[in-house]
């Protein structure tokens, strides 16, 4: 039996050989790509051309819109009305909030806090809003609040009905889902140009841009909430002869309400993270202070509005979160407290000065800048060394390869890699995106952006992985890390640019550092949650078999947390892209710069618009490549910071 | 269901009725200012609201601070500062978000589009500042390499200006992408072995200049006057092929220096037509580069807020600004 | 259609693509696995016919997947039947417009659900009043009605509680009250007690019996628990793979199972608890004394034991005043042993009798519907 005749053996080894071949295929593919690169280097490259006919065509389109803004029926009867209506909404909020005065607004916030979660939340609201006043940013904060509220209101008015439809109908879900996917991958920068073209600059465009960013969670979570309503409750209602509308109003919506409130919470968070950016298109508010500070490289002045936004975010988050948890049972005490707080605030409004008292304001800009100045003066050698190491060691060589390789080779390599990693469909989509970027005449800039994103992602994921694993393994470390990550996640992405600029000057490395601060919290958290989610019994079993800590980590915890790790990588890359694009404001160049220039300079408009599209394509490509074989859990919140 | 349909019908009818004439883009300027004016009136008994564009360099901010101070304290207007880049500021005149641009650098194309073609903006005269744009190196470089001030010799020194961001070529450091610049075309058309790298802001340029002076690091950068920095350290302008009228007509083919910019003020047509003391003040506003640099210096280096710096200048120079106040 | 409260004729429900083409085609004869393999469709209800008399408690009983829950939903078209006829109170349900159907559900038929289907955001009172609310009944009126019904099901004092503050049994009482509040002609129960603990289940069964006595509604009761079916049902339909295998009184099912499936089903039922003396009475032997105790023919065998213990003479079994036969101690013992099922075959002693009824209900939960 042992010495089986040779001629009987083959059937099994053939299958084995095929398997072995499949195992070697990726390596063979990699070798082939390298060989092709060496052979075809510097052929079929697509150098950047500012004069591409597509850009001119887009400029012409822009000019046409500009000329027909007041004559074309599409604008006269639709676009301009949207703009007017949204502007009115914003003005309404702004006027109302301003009219409340600072005591009135604090009173309203306290009342809402009381209503939603009792005295604790009311106290958080009072302290928070008073803190904003103390930072000396009351007026700008009110504008930001008005912008946030109007865009959140719009997001909900549009998002909740769509969410309900999506939750009810699988057909609608099939259409809406991929659209939301793209909306969430889309770097925020990329849609400023088209919005400005349609709605001009100003609060209306800003509100709409913010809404586009904030609406996906509203839709997704509403849909989820509606889907999760227990079918028996719905059936019971129908069995009693309720109409569809009655069942929706009396059963589905009330039962989904708590989850939908969480959706409101996420929508507000998303809106607040977008609000600073729309200052670029003439929205008033804290973003203006941020951008000004950025222009003056004044770290302290950038940090203060950043803190104000964090405070607004925390107050709104606590109010909506506790509203979602508590059941809305009418209780006389609650409503009385609500009324008392508001009346007290309003009563004080005419009594106290309309401006937040100056003597209550605290000055923190100077001490911060002193610290930054000291670091700048003393760490210059170190920061310069880091900058040059990454630039010469990683960025430049990678960029050389990507820009000197034939475009078809990169496309094929991406196709192969994505196919292997995430399946054929993902591979085709990713390759299609690359071809489209080439078609947009933005290949070279696309590759430059890709270079920065790749390097930044690798660093981000490495750091996030290390922090996440450390936090998962040490309660103590996690307890220290959590609040820091929480704060980092709530800060507007914008404010990360400044410390990075101050330390590293302008350039790609600064964008990398900023995206590192921006994306690491999310990556670390996903990694930590994933490792922690490994069932205790499995860990116990591994320990009882005598595993060392290291073995436990590498052989049990990490493999079992694979889907979380993939998600972390995916999120890390998508967020990095978003930040690298914003990094254009501090000299990171490439596609992000094209977008900024497109907003700022007339003749660059077409290029900027195309660059916006290219960024979306790049985002979709990176997302598809990394969504992994396991598929992506869609419900995870994305880029909500 | 029936009720819903009814409501939808009423809404559509209502919109339709309102939509009879369609909406033009500046329609909101009738609505928005009134709301602002009433809010402002409630706050301070204001004479009206002026929406002033703020462009992202400190010299502009200094001018705006002084005009803002006078509008609020002498004429009792409420000033809304709209922080914008240069081109969007013009667009703001069309959309009703901007009334005043205090420091306009040329922009003949925009003047043609918004003043002549669209008729939404008008010129409001020079502001007295003389603008210069050019390429600069720190003074120590001129002492070490005397012939560097001629653009023809720049290629010889390209290696000096190499950085991690400049792709193996010399680096020409530009500012904010929104600033007036022909530098990419100049580099190309003058066949210079340089790459334009955008620092992103005025402050970044200033910081680079300070480091280049302090640490004797080579630097070639885009810069401009009026700027307070020139009172702190010496920068030397590179001589580009001299400007001749029309040599910059085609932005892609520019191969000559920047022209001298007599900086001027632009206001929205609506603001000009409404007239009033605010418009008069903006029209009369005129001061020197030195005036601007003083205020800008206070804002940037002496830790004064815009308002405090403006107040300091206003108190020190009553004769100058009293001439601007409409009688 | 006569006087039947509910009349079902040739009812089909097939899930899957182009389901309506299957009825009447040869495919309809295929068993489930073959049907799914061939057409991708699943037949949940196959050609079911039965009638429910007014005031009757009609139980549909079957294991999970037998189609009984689908069947009950087809009665008011919560699930749209694929074929066949349903009439309630003589009116054709399948021909009703959406409005008519809603009226039917609002006023004439209501349902109690396995997982209660209560609305957690409403107080108990508003849950019970829900059916009236969607009919447009004024608040004061519906609350008054709901209070009355709550006291009928023994939930006074819990009006202002929220469902999650109540125990499972109490929650199902709310479900029951909600169904009763609209004063329907017909109550449908879809395994209402299978999610409850055994003891509470027994209370609730007693509650249903009591309510039936008091309000006298027609009831259709779905269950997978045979002892529950035997306890509540005046008539029981046994379902298997979507078809009704047998309809009859508990006695008929236990005494005369239509096929092996039913026989297997009822095998563990202690027959002495279900069958009446009629099933074991025999003509008296010539020498037997006929002066023993007299019992009606529909006395359950188990209940005849005390009389047999008290007298050594054979029991005289009487129906309508006439003697239909006699039963002596040996006959009774034999019947009890027969009821032992497996125990009887193994020749075990009488002692198991007491535990056998317990084992019948204890085994039920394992057959719960998925």
């Amino acid at each position: 039996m042992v010495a089986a005749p040779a001629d009987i053996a083959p059937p099994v080894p053939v299958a084995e050989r095929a398997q072995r071949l499949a195992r070697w295929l990726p390596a063979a593919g990699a070798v082939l790509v390298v060989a092709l690169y060496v052979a075809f280097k510097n052929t079929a490259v697509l150098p950047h051309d500012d004069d591409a006919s597509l850009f001119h065509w887009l400029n012409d389109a822009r000019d046409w819109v500009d000329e027909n803004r007041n004559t074309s029926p599409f604008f006269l009867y639709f676009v301009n009305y949207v703009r007017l209506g949204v502007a009115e909404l914003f003005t309404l909020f702004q006027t109302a909030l301003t009219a409340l005065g600072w005591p009135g607004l604090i009173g309203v916030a306290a009342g809402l806090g009381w209503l939603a979660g009792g005295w604790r939340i009311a106290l958080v609201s009072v302290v928070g809003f008073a803190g904003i006043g103390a930072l000396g940013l009351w007026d700008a904060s009110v504008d930001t609040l008005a912008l946030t509220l109007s865009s959140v209101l719009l997001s909900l008015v549009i998002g909740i009905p769509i969410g309900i439809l999506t939750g009810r109908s699988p057909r609608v879900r099939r259409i809406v889902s991929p659209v939301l996917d793209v909306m969430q991958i889309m770097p925020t920068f990329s849609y400023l140009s088209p919005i400005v073209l349609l709605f001009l600059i100003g609060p209306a465009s800003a509100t709409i841009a913010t809404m586009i960013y904030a609406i996906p969670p509203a839709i997704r979570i509403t849909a989820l909430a509606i889907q999760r309503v227990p079918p028996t409750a719905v059936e019971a209602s129908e069995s009693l002869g309720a109409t569809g509308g009655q069942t929706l109003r009396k059963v589905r919506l009330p039962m989904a309400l708590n989850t939908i409130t969480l959706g409101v919470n996420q929508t507000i968070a998303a809106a607040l993270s977008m609000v600073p950016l729309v200052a670029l298109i003439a929205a008033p508010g804290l973003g203006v202070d941020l951008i000004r500070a950025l222009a003056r490289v004044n770290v302290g002045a950038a940090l203060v509005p950043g803190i104000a936004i964090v405070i607004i975010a925390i107050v709104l988050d606590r109010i909506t979160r506790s509203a979602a948890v508590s059941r809305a049972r009418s209780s006389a005490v609650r409503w009385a407290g609500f009324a008392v707080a508001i009346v007290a605030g309003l009563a004080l409004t005419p009594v106290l000065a309309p401006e937040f008292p100056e003597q209550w304001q605290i000055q923190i800009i100077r001490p911060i800048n002193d610290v930054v100045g000291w670091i700048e003066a003393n760490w210059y050698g170190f920061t310069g060394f880091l900058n040059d190491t990454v630039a010469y060691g990683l960025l430049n060589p990678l960029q050389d390869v990507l820009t000197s390789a034939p475009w078809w080779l990169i496309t094929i390599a991406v196709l192969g890699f994505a196919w292997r990693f995430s399946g054929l469909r993902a591979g085709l989509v990713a390759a299609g995106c690359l071809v489209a970027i080439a078609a947009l005449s933005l290949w070279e800039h696309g590759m430059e952006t890709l270079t920065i994103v790749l390097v930044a992602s690798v660093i981000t994921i490495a750091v996030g992985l290390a922090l996440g694993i450390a936090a998962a393994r040490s309660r103590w470390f996690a307890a220290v890390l959590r609040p820091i990550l929480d704060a980092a996640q709530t800060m507007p992405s914008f404010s990360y640019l400044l410390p990075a600029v101050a330390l590293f000057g302008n350039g790609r490395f600064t964008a990398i550092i900023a995206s590192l601060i921006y994306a690491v919290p999310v990556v670390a958290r996903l990694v930590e949650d994933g490792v922690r989610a490994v069932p205790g019994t499995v860990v116990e079993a591994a320990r009882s078999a005598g595993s060392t800590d290291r073995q436990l980590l590498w052989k049990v915890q990490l493999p079992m947390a694979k889907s979380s790790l993939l998600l972390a990588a995916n999120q890390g890359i998508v967020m990095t892209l978003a930040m690298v694009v914003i990094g254009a404001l501090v000299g990171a160049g490439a596609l992000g710069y094209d977008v900024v220039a497109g907003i700022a300079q007339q003749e660059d408009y077409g290029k900027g618009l195309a660059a916006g599209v290219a960024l979306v394509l790049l985002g979709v490509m990176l997302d598809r490549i990394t969504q992994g074989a396991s598929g992506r859990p869609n419900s995870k919140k994305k880029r909500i910071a | 269901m029936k009720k819903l349909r009814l409501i939808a019908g009423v809404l559509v009818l209502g919109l339709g009725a309102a939509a009879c004439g369609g909406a033009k883009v500046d329609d909101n300027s009738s609505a928005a200012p009134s709301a602002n004016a009433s809010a402002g009136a409630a706050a301070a008994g204001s004479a009206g609201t002026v929406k002033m564009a703020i462009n992202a360099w400190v010299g502009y901010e200094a001018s705006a601070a002084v005009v803002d101070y006078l509008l609020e304290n002498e004429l009792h207007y409420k000033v809304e500062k709209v922080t914008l880049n240069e081109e969007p500021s013009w667009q703001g005149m069309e959309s009703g978000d901007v009334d005043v641009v205090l420091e306009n650098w040329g922009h003949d194309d925009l003047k043609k589009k918004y003043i002549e073609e669209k008729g939404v903006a008008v010129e409001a005269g020079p502001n007295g500042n003389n603008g210069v744009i050019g390429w600069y190196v720190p003074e120590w470089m001129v002492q070490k390499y005397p012939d560097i001030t001629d653009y023809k010799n720049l290629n010889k020194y390209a290696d000096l200006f190499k950085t991690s961001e400049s792709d193996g070529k010399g680096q020409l450091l530009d500012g904010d992408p929104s600033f007036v610049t022909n530098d990419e075309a100049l580099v190309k058309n003058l066949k210079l072995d340089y790459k334009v790298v955008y620092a992103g802001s005025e402050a970044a340029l200033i910081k680079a200049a300070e480091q280049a002076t302090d640490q004797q690091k080579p630097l070639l950068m885009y810069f401009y006057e009026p700027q307070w920095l020139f009172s702190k350290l010496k920068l030397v302008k590179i001589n580009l092929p001299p400007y001749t009228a029309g040599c910059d007509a085609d932005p892609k083919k520019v191969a000559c220096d920047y022209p001298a910019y007599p900086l001027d003020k632009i206001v929205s047509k609506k603001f000009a037509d409404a007239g009033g003391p605010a418009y008069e003040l903006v029209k009369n506003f005129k001061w020197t580069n030195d005036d601007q640099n003083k205020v800008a210096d206070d804002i940037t280096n002496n830790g004064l807020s815009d308002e405090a710096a403006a107040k300091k200048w206003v108190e020190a120079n009553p004769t100058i600004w009293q001439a601007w106040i409409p009688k | 259609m006569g006087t039947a409260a509910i009349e079902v004729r040739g009812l089909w429900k097939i899930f899957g693509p182009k389901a309506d083409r299957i009825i009447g085609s040869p495919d309809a004869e295929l068993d489930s696995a073959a049907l799914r393999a061939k057409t991708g469709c699943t037949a949940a209800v196959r050609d079911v016919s039965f009638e429910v008399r007014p005031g009757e408690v009609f139980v549909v009983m079957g294991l999970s997947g037998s189609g009984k829950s689908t069947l009950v939903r087809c009665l008011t078209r919560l699930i749209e039947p694929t074929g066949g006829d349903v009439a309630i109170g003589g009116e054709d349900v399948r021909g009703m417009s959406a409005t008519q159907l809603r009226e039917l559900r609002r006023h004439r038929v209501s349902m109690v659900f396995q997982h209660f289907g209560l609305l957690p955001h409403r107080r108990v009172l508003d849950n019970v009043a829900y059916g009236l609310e969607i009919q447009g009944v004024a608040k004061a009126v519906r609350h008054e009605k709901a209070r009355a019904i709550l006291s009928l099901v023994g939930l006074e004092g819990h009006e202002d509680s929220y469902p999650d503050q109540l125990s499972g049994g109490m929650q199902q009482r709310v479900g029951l009250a909600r169904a009763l509040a609209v004063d329907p002609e017909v109550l449908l129960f879809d395994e209402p007690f299978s999610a409850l603990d055994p003891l509470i289940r027994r209370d609730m069964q007693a509650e249903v019996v009591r309510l039936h006595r008091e309000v006298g509604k027609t009831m259709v009761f779905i269950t997978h628990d045979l002892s529950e079916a035997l306890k509540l049902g005046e008539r029981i339909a046994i379902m298997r793979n979507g078809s009704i295998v047998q309809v009859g009184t508990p006695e008929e099912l236990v005494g005369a199972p239509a096929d092996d499936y039913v026989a297997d089903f009822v095998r563990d039922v202690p027959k002495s608890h279900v069958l009446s003396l009629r099933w074991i009475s025999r003509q008296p032997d010539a020498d037997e004394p006929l002066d023993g105790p007299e019992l009606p023919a529909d006395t359950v065998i188990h209940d005849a034991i005390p009389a047999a213990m008290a007298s050594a003479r054979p029991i005289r079994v009487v129906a309508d005043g006439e003697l239909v036969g006699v039963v002596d101690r040996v006959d009774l013992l034999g019947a009890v042993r027969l009821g032992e099922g497996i125990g009887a075959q193994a020749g075990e002693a009488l002692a198991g009798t007491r535990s056998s009824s317990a084992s019948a209900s204890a085994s039920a939960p394992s057959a719960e519907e998925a």
Side-chain angles (χ1 to χ4, degrees), chain A residues 38-390:
Chain A
V38 172
F40 290 96
K41 189 177 173 186
N42 285 326
T43 65
V45 291
L46 303 170
H48 184 71
D49 176 14
D50 262 343
D51 259 339
S53 54
L54 176 74
F55 304 159
H56 286 292
W57 187 84
L58 287 172
N59 275 345
D60 293 345
R62 186 265 323 266
D63 290 340
W64 183 89
V65 170
D66 245 1
E67 275 157 30
N68 294 280
R69 201 183 288 293
N70 282 334
T71 47
S72 154
F74 176 65
F75 279 91
L76 277 183
Y77 296 105
F78 178 66
V79 174
N80 294 352
Y81 270 111
V82 172
R83 179 168 174 275
L84 279 184
V86 174
E88 278 300 318
L89 181 71
F90 168 75
T91 312
L92 190 74
F93 269 110
Q94 193 190 30
T95 314
L97 293 180
T98 312
L100 279 177
W102 63 268
L105 188 52
I106 292 180
V108 170
L112 289 174
W114 177 274
L115 200 60
W119 67 271
R120 273 169 220 276
I121 307 297
L123 190 67
V124 168
S125 309
V126 170
V127 170
F129 276 24
I132 292 170
L135 289 173
L137 289 169
W138 185 262
D139 290 338
S141 302
V142 167
D143 285 342
T144 291
L145 198 59
L147 193 62
T148 308
L149 292 181
S150 43
S151 53
V152 166
L153 183 70
L154 278 182
S155 301
L156 298 180
V157 166
I158 299 171
I160 289 183
I162 296 179
I164 292 171
L165 278 179
T166 312
R168 297 287 313 282
S169 150
R171 194 178 306 161
V172 176
R173 204 172 314 148
R174 271 197 297 278
I175 299 168
V176 170
S177 229
V179 175
L180 293 185
D181 271 352
V182 172
M183 281 174 84
Q184 292 194 295
I185 298 162
M186 209 154 58
T188 46
F189 244 43
S190 59
Y191 46 84
L192 291 182
S193 284
I195 286 178
V196 167
L197 180 59
L198 284 180
F199 302 105
L200 296 173
I201 54 168
S205 304
T207 308
I208 293 169
T210 310
M211 185 196 82
I212 291 178
Y213 186 67
I215 208 169
I219 297 176
R220 268 199 211 285
I221 297 179
T222 303
L224 193 71
I226 291 290
Q227 275 171 270
R228 277 194 189 161
V229 170
T232 43
V234 172
E235 198 177 32
S237 174
E238 281 169 359
S239 82
L240 286 164
T243 60
Q246 283 174 324
T247 303
L248 181 66
R249 272 199 318 281
K250 294 171 190 285
V251 179
R252 283 205 167 93
L253 282 182
M255 291 182 79
L257 191 63
N258 285 357
T259 314
I260 292 178
T261 313
L262 273 184
V264 175
N265 176 290
Q266 297 294 300
T267 307
I268 292 175
L272 268 173
S273 70
M274 180 70 186
V275 154
L277 201 61
V278 291
L280 283 177
I281 52 175
L286 294 164
V288 175
D289 297 274
L290 272 176
I291 291 190
R292 254 158 49 113
L294 201 61
R296 292 204 204 158
V297 196
N298 186 333
V299 180
L303 204 59
V304 175
I307 293 172
I309 288 177
V310 171
I311 292 176
I312 295 179
I314 289 175
V315 170
L316 296 182
D317 174 76
R318 293 303 180 270
I319 292 178
T320 46
R321 201 175 282 264
S322 41
V325 173
S326 72
R327 180 171 279 153
R329 286 174 192 168
S330 56
S331 129
V333 181
R334 288 235 162 127
W335 286 103
F338 173 66
V340 165
I342 289 181
V343 170
L346 288 179
L348 285 173
T349 302
V351 182
L352 296 169
E355 303 281 326
F356 196 89
E358 219 160 295
Q359 63 270 24
W360 293 359
Q361 297 178 7
I362 48 169
Q363 296 300 332
I364 58 169
I365 296 181
R366 202 167 271 268
I368 295 173
N369 282 346
D370 289 346
V371 173
V372 174
W374 182 84
I375 295 178
E376 263 181 89
N378 293 284
W379 289 16
Y380 188 80
F382 173 66
T383 54
F385 166 75
L386 262 187
N387 180 34
D388 287 352
T389 309
V390 172

Side-chain angles (χ1 to χ4, degrees), chain A residues 66 69-70 76-77 80-81 83-84 88 91 201 282 288 295-297 376 380 391-392 506 508 587 593 600-602, chain B residues 18-20 23 25 28 31 61 83-84 87-88 95 97 113 118 164-165 177-179 198-199 203-204 207 217:
Chain A
D66 245 1
R69 201 183 288 293
N70 282 334
L76 277 183
Y77 296 105
N80 294 352
Y81 270 111
R83 179 168 174 275
L84 279 184
E88 278 300 318
T91 312
I201 54 168
V288 175
R296 292 204 204 158
V297 196
E376 263 181 89
Y380 188 80
Y392 290 116
N506 296 72
R508 292 167 296 174
Y593 168 77
Q601 301 274 14
Q602 236 190 149
Chain B
C20 267
V25 285
N28 75 329
E61 222 176 285
T83 303
L84 278 178
E87 291 210 10
S95 67
D97 289 300
K113 181 168 169 186
K118 295 191 176 237
S164 66
E165 305 301 304
S178 72
F179 291 171
Y198 289 87
K207 197 185 235 170
K217 275 172 41 178

